[in-house]
Amino acid sequence: MSETADEIVLEARDITKRYPGTLALDGVALRVHRHQVNVLIGENGAGKSTLMRILAGVETADSGEILLEGTPIRLRSPREAAAQGISIVHQELSVLPNLDISENIFAGREPVRAAVLLNRPAEDLRSTKALASLRKPMQVRVKTAQLSLGCRQIVEIARALDQGARVLILDEPTSALSSTETDSLFQVIADLKCSGVTIIYISHRLHELLHLGDWFTVLRSGRIVGHAPRAEVSRHWIVESMSGRTISETPADRPSLAHAPPLLTARGFTLAASSADEAAQAALHDVSFTLRRGEILGIYGLLGAGRTELLESLAGARRLLAGSVVLNGVQAHLSTVSNAGKHGIVLVPEDRQRDGLIPDMSIFENITISAMRGVLLSRAQQLARVRKLAMELNIVATDLELPVTSLSGGNQQKVLIARCLMRNPALILLDEPTRGVDVSAKAEIYSILRRLADQGIGVLFTSSEIEETRTLADRVLVLCQGRIASELTRAEITDEALFGAASPTVNTRPPLSGVSLA
């Protein structure tokens, strides 16, 4: 499909950006198509966020120019970018929880009367109109702390629209949303397109990109390596363009484990909800299952089904009302994280930044912080073991003494897996094992987990991505409202089967966010 000048609303030409020791962007030329969803794809570290920060006025390029409607513009701050009609909604939302919706929408640009008096009625009216245009009516005096994550995201989009956004950048907008919230956001994006807003969309979730995208641009190592319309794009094209090599995302051909001996048997797991009105803190009701030796067992469920609670209970982080565990034929007492660790049960948490990594420590220190308790190893012995794990897991780092924050998301996730392996685990639990990592790192993590299972280590994971569950799991247990609703063998794992069993109501079609598109 050919492009014409009239189709391009925003253009970046020969954009270069250097940081100490790093060439983040190398002569990037980006064309953003009017009234379309322009997908920007790339592995972590490819330069996506740097380019978007430049377009949003958060940073300035070392060289190159930006054109809006064919006219060169200078963007020295987010305020200047917003004045030109370019706004960004970051992955980490910036709403202020102690302020209400209207106050958030107008933070820093409050309307006034008589040049000095805050005009709250005008604020409320404009906020109400902005939310109505998104088909998301809300009480604008409600504190944003009371809103769901999806609603907070809508507040940020409403803020951008009130500022006259013509180009809206959405950076990983669904990374922490439920399936329902994701589908709601997709409808908002469709409405924005129809109303004349141009979207730049960044995500690691390929099924979302293929569903939403009109034009696709791929960044690799700070350079544009692909630009094509949807009709010319496939998963294969995206993956190979991103990585520069062929990567297999298909399920591995693993032997049947139906008759393998049990590694872990859980019986009657019952957990009280920590709050009656907080769906994220779900209860568990008489959950029983077996994990076979050499098996990768997936736990699938919708938000509030109890997936995280189940893993945290196995890891000793939650106190069960009832339940028992037998691991390797021995009764395991999991009243604390320490006790679970003594039995060889370790957890890679859902939020690696909040609950896993220690940002002020080095890569080496993060791997060894809880390793091999009760075993005295010299620093030289620990270093040798860490280097061996870093090589086996392909942790890409020039120096293990560098801060762990210097690593990409995929390498940070592998650091947490290495920390678990330092303890010689019998069972490794992973909550959202590839959240926020690129497609290349995903494939590597899948390979690592299959290799661990082949070595006899138990692998139990949860994922909100149907595609990941289907790709990785040998068998899946589907949770619905704290109970096991279904057990699926590899041959039975389909989008429809997973979502159908996970839904409280029957005959429910899977959401668009869960559909895999070729």
Side-chain angles (χ1 to χ4, degrees), residues 446-467:
Y446 294 167
S447 178
I448 289 167
L449 297 182
R450 289 168 184 142
R451 190 164 68 245
L452 294 178
D454 290 341
Q455 294 169 2
I457 297 174
V459 177
L460 178 62
F461 77 96
T462 72
S463 178
S464 57
E465 295 187 33
I466 286 181
E467 185 174 9

Side-chain angles (χ1 to χ4, degrees), residues 243-261:
S243 63
R245 61 188 187 277
T246 301
I247 293 177
S248 173
E249 294 184 290
T250 58
D253 184 16
R254 289 168 52 79
S256 173
L257 299 166
H259 302 293

Side-chain angles (χ1 to χ4, degrees), residues 113-125:
R113 291 180 294 188
V116 293
L117 299 176
L118 178 65
N119 191 345
R120 279 308 302 261
E123 210 174 68
D124 292 348
L125 179 61

Side-chain angles (χ1 to χ4, degrees), residues 292-327:
R292 302 182 182 104
R293 195 174 302 279
E295 183 181 39
I296 301 176
L297 180 61
I299 305 292
Y300 182 76
L302 304 181
L303 184 69
R307 298 171 304 166
T308 293
E309 289 76 14
L310 177 57
L311 261 63
E312 290 181 348
S313 298
L314 282 168
R318 291 182 184 271
R319 185 66 65 88
L320 290 167
L321 294 177
S324 63
V325 170
V326 174
L327 182 67

Side-chain angles (χ1 to χ4, degrees), residues 70-360:
T71 301
I73 58 173
R74 295 190 66 186
L75 304 175
R76 292 165 293 191
S77 70
R79 188 180 293 272
E80 287 189 4
Q84 296 283 358
I86 305 170
S87 294
I88 184 169
V89 176
H90 295 280
Q91 182 176 359
E92 301 298 331
L93 300 180
S94 60
V95 292
L96 302 172
N98 59 316
L99 300 183
D100 64 35
I101 291 174
S102 283
E103 289 171 324
N104 267 281
I105 290 176
F106 287 94
R109 54 185 192 92
E110 294 80 0
V112 295
R113 291 180 294 188
V116 293
L117 299 176
L118 178 65
N119 191 345
R120 279 308 302 261
E123 210 174 68
D124 292 348
L125 179 61
R126 285 170 60 181
S127 297
T128 300
K129 287 183 177 179
L131 293 168
S133 71
L134 296 171
R135 294 200 278 183
K136 297 294 177 183
M138 290 184 255
Q139 296 297 320
V140 295
R141 292 292 182 100
V142 171
K143 299 291 187 186
T144 54
Q146 302 176 34
L147 302 178
S148 69
L149 192 60
C151 287
R152 293 180 202 177
Q153 195 170 62
I154 293 298
V155 170
E156 291 223 18
I157 294 174
R159 177 198 297 165
L161 294 182
D162 186 80
Q163 295 180 77
R166 291 184 286 165
V167 177
L168 181 62
I169 302 168
L170 299 175
D171 188 2
E172 296 285 355
T174 64
S175 62
L177 299 187
S178 68
S179 295
T180 300
E181 289 175 321
T182 296
D183 291 333
S184 179
L185 176 64
F186 288 179
Q187 185 59 57
V188 167
I189 290 171
D191 290 345
L192 289 173
K193 280 178 56 179
C194 292
S195 66
V197 177
T198 298
I199 307 293
I200 300 177
Y201 192 94
I202 302 172
S203 177
H204 289 308
R205 299 181 173 181
L206 300 191
H207 58 276
E208 289 183 5
L209 304 181
L210 289 164
H211 171 66
L212 289 172
D214 299 304
W215 282 87
F216 291 72
T217 302
V218 183
L219 265 174
R220 187 170 75 235
S221 301
R223 296 180 178 178
I224 300 291
V225 295
H227 181 71
R230 174 63 180 94
E232 299 174 12
V233 170
S234 65
R235 289 184 60 89
H236 180 78
W237 181 88
I238 293 174
V239 171
E240 291 209 346
S241 297
M242 284 176 62
S243 63
R245 61 188 187 277
T246 301
I247 293 177
S248 173
E249 294 184 290
T250 58
D253 184 16
R254 289 168 52 79
S256 173
L257 299 166
H259 302 293
L263 174 72
L264 173 138
T265 301
R267 290 283 179 265
F269 267 37
T270 301
L271 176 73
S274 62
S275 173
D277 59 355
E278 194 172 345
Q281 304 297 323
L284 297 175
H285 307 282
D286 194 26
V287 172
S288 300
F289 65 93
T290 296
L291 170 64
R292 302 182 182 104
R293 195 174 302 279
E295 183 181 39
I296 301 176
L297 180 61
I299 305 292
Y300 182 76
L302 304 181
L303 184 69
R307 298 171 304 166
T308 293
E309 289 76 14
L310 177 57
L311 261 63
E312 290 181 348
S313 298
L314 282 168
R318 291 182 184 271
R319 185 66 65 88
L320 290 167
L321 294 177
S324 63
V325 170
V326 174
L327 182 67
N328 280 322
V330 177
Q331 190 80 30
H333 302 284
L334 310 178
S335 55
T336 66
V337 172
S338 178
N339 283 345
K342 290 176 182 177
H343 287 288
I345 301 176
V346 290
L347 171 67
V348 176
E350 177 181 12
D351 190 331
R352 61 176 170 270
Q353 303 296 340
R354 184 188 66 192
D355 302 322
L357 300 170
I358 304 173
D360 295 334

